[in-house]
Amino acid sequence: MLQLFGHPFSSYTQKALVALYETGQPFAFRWIGPDAPDGNDHGSEWLQRWPLRKFPILVDGERTVAETSVIVEYLQLAHPRAVTLLPADPLAALDVRFLDRFFDLHVMAPMQQAVDGALTRDPAKARDALDLAVPKLERAYAWLETHLAGRTWAAGEDFTLADCAAAPSLFYADWTHPIAEQYPRLRGYRARLLARPSFARAVEEARPFRSYFPLGAPDRD
């Protein structure tokens, strides 16, 4: 049985969960943190396996796989299912990998920058971090608005690794800096992601922990 170590409110854990739910791959979830519902915190084992203190990680027998993009690709290579998240065509797969990196680097990263500032509980640092994050998110939103023209999902008509990355990054980014009405395609895309059963499941599993969001979780989604 595959094991995924993470926390349900973690954006990167959600990215891996969406991939697992999409493919239907059986796995055991190993909860990291003292809020585990059964009181069983797997943090010690996680740190033994990955002392860099980043989650999620995937454990497959003796193999530990870190970094969510690599986890998703590993699932497709080592545990192929009927549903695939990377196209067989190499150039199409390259497009998907680019979009995956775009969401991680240009949406998730500035969102996390603002969150990290808020976590300091220092109003000046929180304000400065948000001021740095907002223009980065605006540039990403504007690019995505153009990119999404004529597309159902990030790379076209198929749900891929890129959408696994997009779902949690846009979910939390919109809480950090709301996607304005001037981006109707992006707003529609985010709504489609929220309606996708795999991500809807991840969102519901994380719902009890919304108080953890230091910028304040809005009363929606």
Side-chain angles (χ1 to χ4, degrees):
M1 176 72 73
L2 295 173
Q3 302 175 75
L4 184 73
F5 287 72
H7 190 281
F9 197 64
S10 153
S11 54
Y12 280 111
T13 300
Q14 290 176 10
K15 177 179 170 180
L17 286 171
V18 169
L20 288 160
Y21 294 156
E22 282 286 330
T23 60
Q25 174 66 49
F27 72 100
F29 189 70
R30 302 304 185 211
W31 195 295
I32 298 171
D35 53 8
D38 60 358
N40 191 3
D41 178 4
H42 293 272
S44 296
E45 183 179 356
W46 161 59
L47 290 176
Q48 288 176 359
R49 292 181 176 275
W50 192 235
L52 274 71
R53 296 176 175 268
K54 298 289 185 179
F55 55 73
I57 60 169
L58 183 77
V59 175
D60 185 7
E62 295 302 313
R63 182 188 291 270
T64 296
V65 185
E67 300 298 333
T68 50
S69 302
V70 178
I71 287 172
V72 176
E73 292 214 36
Y74 176 81
L75 288 170
Q76 185 156 320
L77 291 169
H79 299 275
R81 311 284 289 184
V83 174
T84 60
L85 295 171
L86 272 169
D89 176 74
L91 289 179
L94 190 64
D95 289 341
V96 169
R97 291 187 180 98
F98 160 72
L99 289 164
D100 167 69
R101 303 317 307 134
F102 183 91
F103 285 110
D104 279 4
L105 296 174
H106 300 294
V107 181
M108 193 92 82
M111 176 277 293
Q112 190 62 56
Q113 182 179 30
V115 166
D116 288 345
L119 285 171
T120 66
R121 306 300 181 190
D122 181 320
K125 290 181 179 179
R127 183 178 59 253
D128 289 347
L130 187 61
D131 287 345
L132 289 171
V134 165
K136 295 177 184 178
L137 289 172
E138 274 295 316
R139 287 193 292 270
Y141 293 169
W143 187 87
L144 286 166
E145 180 66 18
T146 300
H147 169 78
L148 288 167
R151 299 169 186 259
T152 301
W153 302 109
E157 293 307 303
D158 294 326
F159 191 96
T160 67
L161 162 65
D163 303 293
C164 296
S169 62
L170 288 172
F171 180 69
Y172 289 115
D174 186 59
W175 285 10
T176 302
H177 175 59
I179 302 170
E181 292 184 3
Q182 72 190 74
Y183 305 122
R185 295 190 193 105
L186 183 56
R187 287 164 64 93
Y189 174 55
R190 183 178 182 273
R192 289 193 295 279
L193 289 167
L194 279 163
R196 186 83 176 185
S198 56
F199 187 51
R201 178 177 175 182
V203 169
E204 286 306 310
E205 290 170 344
R207 191 172 294 277
F209 308 102
R210 291 190 172 197
S211 62
Y212 291 3
F213 196 69
L215 295 166
D219 187 21
R220 54 183 169 85
D221 298 330

